[in-house]
Amino acid sequence: MISIKEALEKILAEQLPGEPEEQKLLSASGCVLAGDVLSKVDLPVFDSSAMDGFAVREEDTLEATKDRPVRLVMKEEVWAGKVPERGVSKKTCSRIMTGAIIPHGADSVVIQEEATLEDDEVLISAPAVRGANIRFKGEDLHKNDVILSRGRVLTPAAMGLLAHAGVGSCVVYPRPKVVVIPTGTELVKPGKPLKEAQIYDSNSYSLNAAIGQLGIEALLCEPVMDDRESIFNYVSHALHMATHVIICGGVSVGDYDYNKSVLADCDVREVFWKVSQKPGRPLYYGRKGKAHVFGLPGNPASTLLCFYEYIRPALLKYMGYDESKILLTEDVAVLKESVKKKAQRTEFCRAYAEHTAQGLSVCVLDKQGSHIMTSFVNANCLAILPENMHDVPAGSSVKIHWLPASPLCR
Ligand code: AMP
Ligand code: MG
């Protein structure tokens, strides 16, 4: 049996980022850049108007007041998408819309609230200020500037910036191909009627959601019976197609827990089995070729906890995330009430932490059984009670891991 620290180290030591690949921009959302990206254009692309109004020359408007407006002859109308045909010269102006090119000769835009149109003349009632209401070519970025560098995550804002800069595709780390195999003769998909001795498969659903939060679409198998041959077929197929295979249930020491021996039959090399933790003690991790194989104990809270603590970091590392960003965000909080605990194992407790006047405080929730999901739903963090400690008294400082609200929240 190994410690939680050793388990995570072993997983991450085996886990390299995936081979970078070129992706169309739309498909790259949420991925990590594997190289710097240069702008294809200046941003803004050209000098343009920031407002609806009139493009003028400052010097023609210096005398303008509300009572004695300046009269300018209007030359043309320019709207977004139109190339101006005429410039602005002495005592003239052009009607201009937001996003339109500033006509040659104009140096400022007077907003329409400060102008009145009279036939083909415009009465300007306040002096223009040179450069006012103009968005200048290249003021944000120049063509061939590095807009986003290697390692940046393609957040919604980053996607918008790349698209604006004309980048149609980019080289990113790939998303893992994850296959989830729930095992257990008792399992039935929710929505179907339950027969005696059956329960609903919940792990496929919690895992699918947690994997989905990372922008990865997992392939979910139907629940597989505790039967060597069936499990062998599913696992060997998954090993061919997946980078990460997650098998739920059947990894403990029961008479029908075949998954470890089936994995051995599939030539999966065991890296470790069993971690001194609660819940999730029988956690298994192995390798075959490029595939990473996780055997999760089937109790729903153990499954989700092991995902967050061990598989999520592995998937994020594969996706090219920096190692400093792949773990759940850690904090230290003061325990509100004492917690009973056995020594020689780390206990991950579903807990609720909040900021108080005295600092961060955490309360371990009722019902910590590994078969119970209500406390997981009500938790916003995991309180980590260290391996070497017995009962932990109120007032102790303990580590907490915030449960992720979103894959990109950090
Ligand atoms: P196992 O790890 O197969 O020994 O299963 C431990 C407990 O988790 C048993 O009570 C199983 O019925 C339950 N279990 C296993 N797989 C699932 C699943 N996919 N969804 C919900 N409960 C499960
Ligand atoms: Mg089972």
Side-chain angles (χ1 to χ4, degrees):
M1 186 126 58
I2 59 174
S3 69
I4 60 163
K5 183 165 175 279
E6 286 169 294
L8 187 62
E9 278 170 2
K10 282 181 191 288
I11 291 169
L12 295 182
E14 294 279 338
Q15 183 66 77
L16 296 176
E19 205 52 50
E21 60 191 18
E22 175 132 11
Q23 287 269 7
K24 286 245 161 56
L25 186 59
L26 267 184
S27 325
S29 177
C31 291
V32 176
L33 287 174
D36 296 349
V37 181
L38 311 186
S39 184
K40 304 275 186 202
V41 290
D42 290 321
L43 276 183
V45 179
F46 45 81
D47 291 353
S48 65
S49 180
M51 301 294 276
D52 296 322
F54 296 89
V56 301
R57 297 163 4 121
E58 180 197 35
E59 60 178 282
D60 292 337
T61 66
L62 294 176
E63 318 272 274
T65 63
K66 227 178 182 162
D67 300 334
R68 301 193 56 190
V70 164
R71 281 178 183 270
L72 303 176
V73 175
M74 199 175 94
K75 300 286 276 295
E76 68 170 329
E77 191 180 0
V78 229
W79 54 86
K82 186 196 179 210
V83 180
E85 287 161 10
R86 312 179 60 180
V88 169
S89 52
K90 196 166 182 186
K91 295 285 179 195
T92 72
C93 69
S94 289
R95 174 84 171 118
I96 193 161
M97 305 298 166
T98 306
I101 295 182
I102 301 291
H104 184 73
D107 58 19
S108 43
V109 170
V110 173
I111 57 173
Q112 64 190 44
E113 289 80 353
E114 285 171 355
T116 316
L117 197 55
E118 258 182 25
D119 301 325
D120 61 348
E121 284 194 333
V122 182
L123 278 62
I124 306 286
S125 55
V129 179
R130 186 178 290 262
N133 303 315
I134 295 182
R135 309 187 291 209
F136 289 101
K137 174 176 169 152
E139 75 176 71
D140 189 12
L141 289 169
H142 289 111
K143 185 173 175 176
N144 291 329
D145 278 354
V146 172
I147 27 180
L148 289 175
S149 41
R150 202 188 79 81
R152 287 296 291 256
V153 180
L154 296 183
T155 58
M159 293 293 288
L161 178 61
L162 291 188
H164 213 41
V167 177
S169 64
C170 48
V171 179
V172 293
Y173 293 100
R175 292 189 182 85
K177 295 188 178 69
V178 184
V179 175
V180 175
I181 310 175
T183 68
T185 304
E186 74 278 28
L187 300 177
V188 175
K189 279 175 81 166
K192 291 188 177 170
L194 275 188
K195 297 197 185 112
E196 213 174 353
Q198 292 184 325
I199 63 163
Y200 290 119
D201 164 23
S202 66
N203 293 337
S204 303
Y205 294 78
S206 55
L207 287 175
N208 182 57
I211 295 165
Q213 281 193 321
L214 309 181
I216 304 164
E217 202 177 329
L219 182 82
L220 304 181
C221 300
E222 295 286 309
V224 183
M225 307 259 283
D226 292 314
D227 160 70
R228 274 180 178 283
E229 203 181 321
S230 307
I231 301 167
F232 182 91
N233 288 339
Y234 273 88
V235 171
S236 43
H237 194 66
L239 285 169
H240 275 111
M241 56 184 296
T243 56
H244 297 75
V245 181
I246 304 176
I247 305 162
C248 278
V251 76
S252 193
V253 292
D255 289 350
Y256 300 91
D257 290 342
Y258 297 130
N259 293 351
K260 266 187 75 238
S261 68
V262 169
L263 289 169
D265 293 346
C266 291
D267 293 328
V268 175
R269 168 175 63 88
E270 177 181 315
V271 177
F272 67 77
W273 178 48
K274 288 191 180 167
V275 179
S276 53
Q277 63 181 5
K278 185 187 171 216
R281 193 171 95 113
L283 175 66
Y284 168 100
Y285 172 61
R287 294 295 315 270
K288 181 174 183 187
K290 287 187 175 171
H292 300 259
V293 183
F294 298 89
L296 302 186
N299 271 307
S302 316
T303 290
L304 189 56
L305 178 122
C306 288
F307 177 83
Y308 281 138
E309 292 290 335
Y310 301 102
I311 305 181
R312 184 178 180 274
L315 296 177
L316 289 174
K317 188 169 175 191
Y318 182 86
M319 289 173 77
Y321 277 75
D322 188 80
E323 282 215 26
S324 63
K325 294 188 179 147
I326 60 179
L327 304 180
L328 297 181
T329 309
E330 189 168 291
D331 257 317
V332 173
V334 175
L335 203 55
K336 251 189 189 164
E337 290 164 17
S338 63
V339 186
K340 289 210 171 308
K341 172 187 178 293
K342 283 192 184 156
Q344 263 118 47
R345 70 181 185 201
T346 304
E347 292 190 10
F348 290 97
C349 303
R350 284 145 269 165
Y352 195 86
E354 57 193 345
H355 292 280
T356 67
Q358 287 74 44
L360 193 58
S361 142
V362 64
C363 186
V364 168
L365 301 177
D366 280 348
K367 299 188 187 170
Q368 291 287 326
S370 57
H371 58 298
I372 286 177
M373 281 307 269
T374 49
S375 51
F376 222 136
V377 169
N378 293 326
N380 66 355
C381 69
L382 300 166
I384 299 140
L385 310 183
E387 188 168 359
N388 54 8
M389 271 184 101
H390 244 294
D391 299 348
V392 189
S396 308
S397 290
V398 295
K399 277 188 194 166
I400 63 163
H401 286 173
W402 294 102
L403 291 170
S406 133
L408 305 173
C409 65
R410 29 186 317 133

